[in-house]
């Protein structure tokens, strides 16, 4: 939710900030803005719309400065408009800030400042930070930021410049991500790693309430009591190319295509010596009587798939909870509960809140996270990493697939430890998991039929996804993917549930995508297929168990043979490609669907 970037060095900040914003645009794209410290003051350009609109506006403007900040916005308070875009300035234009987060007490602070004569120009909560910093400024920006942050309630990641301290950039954060990049002759602030990768792979992860005082050739960290804090410089292993499209028309397609590699890397990390493997081995299933899986959106859907796997293999009760609900339901958990937090970004506000709720109730927390140094990675009792690399498209694909394989491996290890599977049975399953990347590659080697079928579906008004048991769980993900990027209404249903209401929505040529990868349930789902076809539906059957013949109402897509419990890793690839090509044929902005942002760091 909003991307921020800052630069201080010896080059012109403008192109560096714009390049960083391009890499952060996935975090929000309602409007964008930039402020640089020019010779005679701050030069600020803000523009409603995509970053391209800001770039256009900057064309021909000779803005120069060796320090600057930039922002790409996902609006929370105040409509997307030029004036509500960041950076925000104090009334005297002495302070410039960019903010990611929500200031919950901004009304009170704003009213207090207005009573003192401060005039606000925007409807945002963020402007209060600029006005307050300017109001309190006492000749020392660090002291002022400490004072300001002590009165802010809510969440923030901030980059702040002060006209009177031309070489200092300040960064601070609470409950929103912020990293500091260090290069030979420059320092950077960014919401996420891809924004920095072309300049440096050395970063400091800022912790909540820490303040970084950043200059061209130094960075110092302080806590709220102004005591120096020592932090270590971490090395990012992601390559520069991993954050580029690499010839693909969209990041989403590139990321779908990367799945065999991502699956291989993630499986390897969990099965060979290393931290993932060590963490998985150190968890003792026998000390838990309950597993709760929680996350949002696709991460929740990964939990839905995993529930079937854990319950079948480990015979332990598993609950799957939407993180946004979990925190408010007074969950029944204690020190014998394992709460698994699934999150690509590790920064989703609802999932972080669920983690904190679980910890407050003494549950053991395990994060399954893609982004190193993220809040969940740091705060969960245990963390295992998906090796997906940077995921830029708003619609998750490769990170979801990596989450699934880690969850399978966890389930197998738990089942062996608890004696529900023998060592041999466990090994056999692990071998099947190791074979998944090759099977995924097999699907990706022949995507034409999916592309062709999807191209005929652009006119659909509503598409249903059905499956049974674990196929139903993955149908949820197929439906979410389609809605998210194609804007076609869609619902996922457990096949047997159709007749209890939803079947009334089936009309002539309604499209139903059916998933069938369970031999034992094939006849059940197939009778649901027949029920909808006899009411006029067309069916796209994604299956490795199909015994039917295609006709004008039934199209088949064959999947490689695979253990039923692992089959979502294959069917999801077809569902991702189907959604992708429907959206591509509609000419939509696939990587940045309307109204969405990749990391939802606000509630
Ligand atoms: O970063 P997270 O995995 O915590 O994000 C959770 C959801 O916001 C995310 O999966 C969202 O549903 C995706 N855009 C779906 O493609």
């Amino acid at each position: 939710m909003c991307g921020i970037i800052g630069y201080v060095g010896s080059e012109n900040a403008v192109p560096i900030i714009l390049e960083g914003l391009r890499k952060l645009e996935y975090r929000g794209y309602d409007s964008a803005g930039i402020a640089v410290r020019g010779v005679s003051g701050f030069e600020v350009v803000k523009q409603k719309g995509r970053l391209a609109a800001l770039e256009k506006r900057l064309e021909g403007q000779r803005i120069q400065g060796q320090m600057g900040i930039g922002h790409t916005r996902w609006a929370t308070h105040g409509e997307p408009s030029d004036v509500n875009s960041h950076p925000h300035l104090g009334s005297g234009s002495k302070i410039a800030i960019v903010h990611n987060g929500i200031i919950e007490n901004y009304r009170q602070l704003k009213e207090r400042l207005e009573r003192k004569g401060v005039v606000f120009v925007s409807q945002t909560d963020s402007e209060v930070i600029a006005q307050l910093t300017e109001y309190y400024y006492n000749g020392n920006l660090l002291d002022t930021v400490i004072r300001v942050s002590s009165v802010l309630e809510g969440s923030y990641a901030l980059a702040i410049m002060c006209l009177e301290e031309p070489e200092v950039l300040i960064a601070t954060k609470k409950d929103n991500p912020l990293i500091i990049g260090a290069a030979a002759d420059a320092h950077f602030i960014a919401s996420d790693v891809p924004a920095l990768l072309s300049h440096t792979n050395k970063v400091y992860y800022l912790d909540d309430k820490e303040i970084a005082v950043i200059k061209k050739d130094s960075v110092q960290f302080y806590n709220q009591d102004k005591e120096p804090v020592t932090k270590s410089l971490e090395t990012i292993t992601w390559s520069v190319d991993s954050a580029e499209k690499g010839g693909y028309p969209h990041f989403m397609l590139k990321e779908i295509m990367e799945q065999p590699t991502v699956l291989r890397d993630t499986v390897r990390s969990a099965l060979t010596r290393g931290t993932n493997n060590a963490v998985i081995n150190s968890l003792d299933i026998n000390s838990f009587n309950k597993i709760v899986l929680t996350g949002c959106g696709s991460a929740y859907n990964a939990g839905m798939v995993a529930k079937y796997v854990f319950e079948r293999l480990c015979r332990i009760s598993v609950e799957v909870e939407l993180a946004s609900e979990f925190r408010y339901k007074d969950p029944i958990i204690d020190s014998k509960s394992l709460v698994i937090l699934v999150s690509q970004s590790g920064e989703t506000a609802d999932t972080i809140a669920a983690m904190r709720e679980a910890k407050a109730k003494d549950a053991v927390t395990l994060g399954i996270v893609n982004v190193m140094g993220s809040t969940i990675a740091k705060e969960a009792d245990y963390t295992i990493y998906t090796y997906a690399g940077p995921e830029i498209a708003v619609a998750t694909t490769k990170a979801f697939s990596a989450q699934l394989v880690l969850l399978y491996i966890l389930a197998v290890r738990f089942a062996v430890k608890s004696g529900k599977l023998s060592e041999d049975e466990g090994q056999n399953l692990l071998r099947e998991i190791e074979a998944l990347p090759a099977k995924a590659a097999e699907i990706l080697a022949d995507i034409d039929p999916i592309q062709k079928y999807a191209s005929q579906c652009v006119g659909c008004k509503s598409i249903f996804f059905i499956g049974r048991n674990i196929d139903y769980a993955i149908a949820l993900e197929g439906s979410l993917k389609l809605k998210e990027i194609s804007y076609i209404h869609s619902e996922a249903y457990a096949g047997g549930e159709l007749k209890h209401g939803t079947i009334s929505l089936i009309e002539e040529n309604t499209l139903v995508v059916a998933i069938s990868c369970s031999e034992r349930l094939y006849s059940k789902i197939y009778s649901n297929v027949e029920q909808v076809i006899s009411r006029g539906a067309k069916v796209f059957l994604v299956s490795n168990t199909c015994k039917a013949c295609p006709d004008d109402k039934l199209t088949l897509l064959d999947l490689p043979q695979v253990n039923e419990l692992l089959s979502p890793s294959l069917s999801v690839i077809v569902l991702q490609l189907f959604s992708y090509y429907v959206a591509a044929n509609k000419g939509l902005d696939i990587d940045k669907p309307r109204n969405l942002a990749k990391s939802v760091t606000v509630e």
Side-chain angles (χ1 to χ4, degrees), residues 9-227:
S10 37
E11 291 177 46
N12 183 15
V14 176
I16 295 172
I17 289 171
L18 287 176
E19 185 206 342
L21 288 180
R22 244 170 263 134
K23 297 285 163 42
L24 293 174
E25 210 186 359
Y26 71 87
R27 300 178 68 87
Y29 30 86
D30 293 335
S31 58
I34 182 168
V36 294
R37 172 68 166 84
V39 259
S40 53
F42 291 131
E43 308 235 37
V44 184
V45 183
K46 316 201 284 186
Q47 176 68 47
K48 179 183 167 182
R50 297 286 166 98
L51 182 61
L54 175 72
E55 288 175 313
K56 189 138 197 279
R57 186 143 163 208
L58 279 164
E59 269 169 27
Q61 296 201 34
R62 300 167 64 92
I63 298 178
Q64 287 270 349
Q66 292 168 338
M67 180 167 82
I69 55 181
H71 187 272
T72 177
R73 180 169 186 244
W74 187 86
T76 58
H77 296 64
E79 58 169 10
S81 66
D82 291 357
V83 76
N84 286 336
S85 312
H86 299 223
H88 289 287
L89 301 185
S91 302
S93 299
K94 282 197 187 123
I95 298 290
I97 66 113
V98 285
H99 169 224
N100 170 30
I102 289 184
I103 303 304
E104 287 161 4
N105 59 340
Y106 87 99
R107 274 181 205 286
Q108 297 93 299
L109 296 171
K110 186 173 176 175
E111 280 164 16
R112 209 188 298 164
L113 287 169
E114 280 174 335
R115 280 199 294 275
K116 296 186 189 293
V118 176
V119 178
F120 281 74
V121 293
S122 79
Q123 291 86 51
T124 64
D125 55 332
S126 308
E127 188 187 350
V128 83
I129 306 168
Q131 299 287 12
L132 208 54
T133 311
E134 190 160 293
Y135 184 79
Y136 282 157
Y137 184 67
N138 61 356
N140 183 313
L141 188 57
L142 171 61
D143 289 347
T144 311
V145 170
I146 290 176
R147 183 163 178 202
V148 169
S149 52
S150 72
V151 299
L152 296 179
E153 288 169 18
S155 60
Y156 52 82
L158 288 167
I160 305 173
M161 298 191 291
C162 173
L163 207 57
E164 291 177 17
E165 300 185 34
E167 289 172 358
V168 177
L169 195 52
I170 286 210
T172 185
K173 64 153 270 185
K174 179 179 163 273
D175 293 339
N176 271 318
L178 207 56
I179 54 175
I180 314 298
D185 55 357
H187 281 91
F188 303 82
I189 299 171
S191 299
D192 200 359
V193 170
L196 306 182
L197 277 178
S198 61
H199 303 285
T200 181
N201 64 349
K202 303 278 184 215
V203 302
Y204 297 99
Y205 291 100
L206 211 55
D207 286 320
D208 276 357
K209 296 262 187 174
E210 284 177 349
I211 299 146
V213 178
I214 305 159
K215 297 184 181 166
K216 179 177 133 185
D217 43 22
S218 71
V219 52
Q220 284 168 310
F221 299 95
Y222 298 90
N223 63 18
Q224 284 285 305
D225 297 322
K226 211 181 167 185
E227 292 161 342

Side-chain angles (χ1 to χ4, degrees), residues 365-384:
T365 52
L366 166 67
I368 297 190
V369 174
N370 194 43
V371 178
M372 252 181 82
S374 58
T375 304
I376 295 177
K378 284 191 292 196
E379 282 187 30
D381 299 316
Y382 300 90
T383 298
I384 49 179

Side-chain angles (χ1 to χ4, degrees), residues 296-299 342-345 348 394-396 480-481 484 598 600:
C296 301
S298 294
V342 186
S343 176
Q344 185 282 131
S345 61
T348 299
V394 165
T396 180
L480 174 61
K481 214 85 303 171
E484 189 177 20
K598 183 139 186 89
V600 187

